[in-house]
Amino acid sequence: MKKLRPLPNFSRLADWAAEAIITIAGLAVILTLAAMPALMLKEAAPLFLPPGLKPLGKIESPEKLDPGQVAALIVSADLSGKNRAAGLLARDGRLAFAVPGEGGMAFLPWRPLTGSAAAIRQAENLGGGKFSLLREDGVLNLAQIDLEFASDGKGGTVVEPAARILLEVEMGGETAPPLYAMLRGDGASHQALAVYADGTVREKRLAPPRGLLRRGGGIASEREARIRLPASLSAAALNRSGDTLYLGTGEGDLIKVDLSGDSDSEIAWEAVPAFPDRRPVTALAFLNGDYALAVGDGLGGTSVWFPRRENGEFRLRRAVAWPIGGGAVEAITPSLRDRSFLSLRRDGSLSWFHSTTARELLAVPARNPKPGLLAVSSRGDNLLSLGSDGNLEFQAMDSAYPEAGWNGFFRRLLYEGYERAAFVWQSTAPESGEPKLSLVPLVWGSVKAAAFAMLFATPLALAAAVFLSQFAPPAWRACLKPVVEMLAAVPSVVVGFLAALWLAPLLESRLRFFLGDQPYDQRNSLVIAVALGFAVIPNIFSLAEDAISAVPNSLAAAALALGASKWQAVRGVVLPAAAPGIFTAVMFGLGRAVGETMIVLMAAGNTPIISLSPYNGMRTLSANIAVEMPEAPVGGVLFRTLFLCSLLLFALTLGINLTAEILGHRLRRKYGSP
């Protein structure tokens, strides 16, 4: 007889499958919750990484040139950052280019640029490949020097250098050529400025040729002024718009020359003693944005100055300074991308500063061979230096995010044009603007919105919970509790819409009579208190009512039996026994208020300010993420800052929940709750 197999145990199989599914789902939820802050931390962490310089290699120049024989360096890199090219402009007017070749960097033959026997005294990089060149004979040239990258058709890259003189202006004085001369302008018109040793400032404005025959043009107007110099000139800098000139003297003075206005207006100037110890000003340079001035002195100190409003007038004042040392500052090389700049001292030490955050990003000690000239690429990611041995060295500049860091996010900073240091959030700025990324106003806005909402919602929610659980008839409780809880299902966008378009104008019309001339924003903290409080009330009410109803009736009955009134029994017995649940309900509502987005986005005014007034608006962390997200390029400083905002919001809500759990546990232990 054939023996039958036993049927499989389907019940055990089902148990095993259910256990596996539940385990996998639970682990997936836990891992997802852990991955969220991990992802936010991963994206925000680079904001706090230190900058660095990475050597990329050296290039032997075609001649062992002394840095004193070189007027300027040119550096360029393609978008990938893998291909770089360099240029040398010698003082005798010749150009040489180092471009990528099969065996590394190869120098192309020297080529003439100026076509003059007069040596180049001064060269200034104007950006965009343009250079202002002052020759020994007093002639000022505007040169265009480009290093363009192109494909060679074989998967490689070739560099096509081009150089030409665009403009030539005679700026020689009657007895001596100028000490400093600069060219500014575009294709329509140009401005030539010369400064002479006796304090004479001469400006020439040139008009372009007109018509098909290109006739006319030349000098359109000319003016000059004589400045009474406190001491001999030692440095000069002109902004890109050509309306402000700064001069430094050998006895520590800064002279501001106002060149704004037309050719008929006078050239105004004022002198400011920069250093009480009269140490000389050795280097000047305008930072990106043409407002702040970087100043190097004879003791190796570096500072940043800009005009600040005092008693209704703008005065040139020092904004930030760094320690002295290393010998006189020989050169200041600003970045064309942000407010950072390099300061080169006489002993060869190099410092990398950021003006806005007052940070020294990097300090490079003196080394041999000592760098003599510096050039930074237009994107601020490549540094080219000419050493005392006559060779060129490429370095990759990893500035990380100089606008960020602890200083940029959480310290009070003095921004350009501001009267005093402040916490400011202004991520969108005009071209060459100064980003302001303080998170303090956003954290303040989140706390303020939640605090006003809780002041409004907590008394109402708790009063309703006590009434329905202890005083209302059972039929009322069965009817009203579901109605209040259903309010939590109202979309927050609807609440925000009503608050912004109906409640805000209504409150303004009712309060305007009592406020008088007091400043009042229509979308303010009072509107947020009502609107956000309305969204929070159902959560607090539901949990608090459940906690109060869970108190055994025997406790209240015992109090009533001892002669207590109904309210005395509730106040002295029921509420203390329900305190852990009530506290948890309030903290849950607080966490909901802190994380709310749509209501504060629509009804708070989105003004990132720090104010205690209930008549002002605010911007919260959550609303800021929603507002700024479309403007944040992937990988940029704003992109990562928004991840930091989300991380702060996560930490804030996590802290609230942990506090609720810890204090709730202590209350349960104190009052004997399970």
Side-chain angles (χ1 to χ4, degrees):
M1 184 180 210
K2 190 174 180 182
K3 191 175 181 181
L4 297 176
R5 280 189 199 169
L7 293 174
N9 192 337
F10 289 105
S11 176
R12 185 175 298 176
L13 238 135
D15 290 345
W16 178 86
E19 182 181 353
I21 292 172
I22 292 172
T23 302
I24 293 172
L27 289 176
V29 171
I30 295 172
L31 290 176
T32 301
L33 292 176
M36 288 173 57
L39 174 63
M40 291 184 278
L41 184 61
K42 172 181 174 292
E43 295 293 342
L47 294 170
F48 299 91
L49 294 178
L53 289 175
K54 178 184 177 182
L56 298 174
K58 290 189 176 183
I59 310 168
E60 292 189 5
S61 60
E63 301 173 8
K64 291 297 183 180
L65 294 174
D66 184 89
Q69 298 176 280
V70 179
L73 299 179
I74 303 99
V75 59
S76 183
D78 62 1
L79 294 177
S80 68
K82 297 179 180 179
N83 297 298
R84 300 169 180 83
L88 280 170
L89 175 59
R91 294 199 178 274
D92 60 8
R94 296 181 301 154
L95 268 173
F97 297 103
V99 298
E102 295 182 358
M105 300 294 286
F107 264 101
L108 301 180
W110 288 98
R111 66 175 69 180
L113 176 65
T114 61
S116 171
I120 297 174
R121 174 188 292 181
Q122 172 192 324
E124 181 185 9
N125 188 353
L126 305 179
K130 289 186 172 62
F131 286 82
S132 173
L133 309 176
L134 173 63
R135 303 200 311 243
E136 292 285 357
D137 56 2
V139 174
L140 191 57
N141 291 136
L142 179 64
Q144 179 75 44
I145 305 173
D146 294 316
L147 293 170
E148 298 291 339
F149 291 88
S151 173
D152 61 1
K154 302 177 182 178
T157 302
V158 295
V159 179
E160 300 174 351
R164 58 195 177 103
I165 298 295
L166 301 178
L167 189 66
E168 187 170 283
V169 186
E170 175 63 50
M171 300 298 293
E174 297 179 359
T175 58
L179 281 178
Y180 308 102
M182 308 90 167
L183 264 173
R184 296 291 185 270
D186 50 28
S189 61
H190 290 88
Q191 172 194 24
L193 188 74
V195 181
Y196 301 87
D198 61 357
T200 299
V201 176
R202 180 176 298 160
E203 180 194 56
K204 294 182 180 181
R205 299 194 180 186
L206 294 84
R210 299 183 299 274
L212 295 176
L213 300 179
R214 309 296 292 170
R215 292 179 178 176
I219 298 175
S221 64
E222 186 173 355
R223 60 175 175 167
E224 69 175 50
R226 181 73 175 270
I227 298 174
R228 295 189 299 273
L229 297 176
S232 60
L233 294 176
S234 56
L238 178 67
N239 65 353
R240 296 187 187 279
S241 58
D243 57 9
T244 303
L245 170 70
Y246 283 106
L247 303 173
T249 72
E251 293 188 2
D253 300 293
L254 277 176
I255 302 171
K256 180 184 178 182
V257 183
D258 185 4
L259 300 170
S260 60
D262 54 26
S263 58
D264 297 329
S265 60
E266 294 185 359
I267 298 176
W269 60 276
E270 64 171 338
V272 177
F275 306 112
D277 58 1
R278 311 304 292 172
R279 60 180 182 268
V281 175
T282 56
L284 296 175
F286 273 95
L287 301 184
N288 187 38
D290 272 358
Y291 193 79
L293 180 75
V295 179
D297 59 57
L299 296 181
T302 309
S303 54
V304 173
W305 300 64
F306 50 73
R308 294 166 58 186
R309 187 186 296 276
E310 293 182 0
N311 300 323
E313 295 184 0
F314 281 93
R315 303 287 185 186
L316 183 64
R317 294 292 183 264
R318 184 171 61 186
V320 61
W322 291 275
I324 61 177
V329 175
E330 293 186 339
I332 293 177
T333 306
S335 169
L336 301 178
R337 185 177 65 93
D338 51 39
R339 295 301 193 279
S340 61
F341 63 97
L342 296 167
S343 177
L344 177 64
R345 300 184 184 89
R346 182 173 298 162
D347 65 352
S349 59
L350 186 66
S351 291
W352 190 0
F353 299 111
H354 190 262
S355 163
T356 303
T357 57
R359 294 171 58 196
E360 184 177 16
L361 303 176
L362 189 66
V364 181
R367 57 193 174 90
N368 193 23
K370 183 178 75 172
L373 279 179
L374 304 175
V376 177
S377 62
S378 59
R379 294 198 305 275
D381 55 355
N382 284 274
L383 172 65
L384 179 67
S385 60
L386 177 64
S388 56
D389 59 354
N391 294 327
L392 296 170
E393 181 179 5
F394 268 116
Q395 290 176 288
M397 300 176 67
D398 181 11
S399 61
Y401 299 92
E403 310 92 343
W406 179 263
N407 286 12
F409 291 137
F410 303 110
R411 276 192 58 185
R412 198 186 302 268
L413 298 177
L414 180 61
Y415 297 101
E416 295 175 3
Y418 279 56
E419 296 183 36
R420 59 184 64 88
F423 297 112
V424 182
W425 171 272
Q426 187 182 344
S427 63
T428 54
E431 188 177 358
S432 301
E434 185 180 32
K436 304 170 182 67
L437 301 176
S438 177
L439 298 183
V440 176
L442 308 181
V443 175
W444 175 268
S446 297
V447 174
K448 183 180 180 182
F452 274 88
M454 295 303 292
L455 287 175
F456 176 82
T458 303
L460 295 179
L462 295 184
V466 172
F467 171 74
L468 281 186
S469 63
Q470 299 297 316
F471 295 97
W476 286 31
R477 181 176 185 273
C479 178
L480 293 178
K481 184 179 180 183
V483 172
V484 177
E485 290 177 341
M486 284 176 61
L487 293 176
V490 176
S492 58
V493 67
V494 175
V495 179
F497 175 79
L498 294 175
L501 298 186
W502 173 75
L503 180 61
L506 180 66
L507 284 180
E508 183 180 25
S509 63
R510 297 292 186 270
L511 295 175
R512 179 57 67 185
F513 176 77
F514 302 99
L515 295 174
D517 296 332
Q518 187 172 354
Y520 182 88
D521 296 332
Q522 187 181 78
R523 300 181 182 183
N524 53 43
S525 303
L526 295 180
V527 178
I528 288 299
V530 177
L532 190 54
F534 177 82
V536 169
I537 282 176
N539 303 97
I540 301 177
F541 164 81
S542 180
L543 293 177
E545 201 278 339
D546 289 342
I548 296 172
S549 298
V551 176
N553 292 331
S554 58
L555 295 179
L560 294 173
L562 292 174
S565 66
K566 180 66 173 177
W567 170 241
Q568 287 174 332
V570 171
R571 184 187 62 187
V573 177
V574 176
L575 291 182
I582 294 174
F583 180 78
T584 301
V586 173
M587 296 302 288
F588 181 79
L590 178 60
R592 166 84 164 82
V594 169
E596 175 57 42
T597 302
M598 289 308 301
I599 295 176
V600 292
L601 179 64
M602 301 175 72
N606 279 317
T607 50
I609 59 175
I610 299 177
S611 172
L612 285 171
S613 172
Y615 308 126
N616 290 332
M618 79 286 286
R619 178 182 286 194
T620 65
L621 287 166
S622 56
N624 187 69
I625 295 171
V627 169
E628 302 285 354
M629 186 170 55
E631 307 294 331
V634 176
V637 63
L638 179 57
F639 175 84
R640 298 191 184 279
T641 301
L642 294 182
F643 272 95
L644 180 61
C645 289
S646 64
L647 188 62
L648 288 175
L649 194 59
F650 180 86
L652 196 58
T653 53
L654 180 63
I656 292 172
N657 292 332
L658 285 177
T659 303
E661 184 63 29
I662 293 171
L663 295 182
H665 177 71
R666 291 182 179 179
L667 288 173
R668 285 191 294 270
R669 190 169 56 184
K670 178 179 179 180
Y671 293 105
S673 300

